[in-house]
Amino acid sequence: ALAREPPQSIVFTELRTSPLLEGELIVSGTLEYAAPGKLSRIVMQPYEERTDIDGDEVRITRADRPERRFSLRRVPELRGLLTSFSAILGGNHAALEQEFELSLATTEAGWQLTLIPRSKRARTSIDSIRMRGADDAPACIAIGGRGGESTALLLGAAAGPNAAAQRTKQCGVLP
């Protein structure tokens, strides 16, 4: 039910916590799904940055910095995210199960899909990925990291003064 025909785009607000940050980092922009294996994350606030993933290649461009390029093989957490997004958007259940242990919980209010990386290397960075939503519309992707790091992507939500309240409503308690 979550499969989508490319191209697709959706606005997002991302809230990131880390012991390395003094406070919570909040960015917003657009996610674009151009084709299987081709995703873009375009940040508009509080700075402008574009990350393009095409197969195994990642390119990050930001006006005030030199362009960076690297392979997803070096970054297992990004590889896992790309695999999960591409498999979900492409309706490829087999690919999702190959990379993750899956569990689905449903209630009258909605659903939660939990993905636990199968790869030991990926688990060094990611504890879990939780997608929550209702019907065929995901509302939140919560990524639990190691050492107190977490990221919540609020889908369809522009950044606002109540981003933390939106996270609680759309994501529940972060992993």
Side-chain angles (χ1 to χ4, degrees), residues 86-152:
S86 289
I88 288 168
L89 293 171
N92 190 342
H93 187 265
L96 204 55
E97 278 200 303
Q98 182 176 345
E99 298 289 328
F100 299 96
E101 296 174 23
L102 308 175
S103 75
L104 178 64
T106 60
T107 67
E108 285 184 21
W111 51 267
Q112 176 175 293
L113 175 62
T114 303
L115 303 106
I116 308 291
R118 293 187 185 276
S119 157
K120 286 182 183 179
R121 183 172 177 206
R123 285 194 309 264
T124 63
S125 300
I126 297 175
D127 287 328
S128 66
I129 300 170
R130 290 186 305 116
M131 295 184 71
R132 295 184 74 179
D135 300 320
D136 68 348
C140 173
I141 301 171
I143 304 160
R146 298 287 179 179
E149 293 191 9
S150 65
T151 301

Side-chain angles (χ1 to χ4, degrees), residues 31-42 50-61 68 70-73 75 77-83 85-86:
L31 295 173
E32 295 179 352
Y33 171 58
K38 290 184 85 164
L39 296 171
S40 296
R41 177 180 173 266
I42 302 138
R50 181 179 180 106
T51 303
D52 293 302
I53 301 172
D54 187 355
D56 232 10
E57 181 79 17
V58 179
R59 187 179 76 229
I60 300 172
T61 54
R68 294 184 343 203
F70 57 91
S71 169
L72 281 176
R73 286 176 268 229
V75 191
E77 61 274 16
L78 278 181
R79 186 189 236 347
L81 290 175
L82 176 63
T83 299
F85 292 151
S86 289

Side-chain angles (χ1 to χ4, degrees), residues 16-33:
R16 180 172 297 192
T17 60
S18 170
L20 302 175
L21 298 172
E22 288 183 19
E24 192 166 53
L25 175 63
I26 302 173
V27 301
S28 63
T30 305
L31 295 173
E32 295 179 352
Y33 171 58

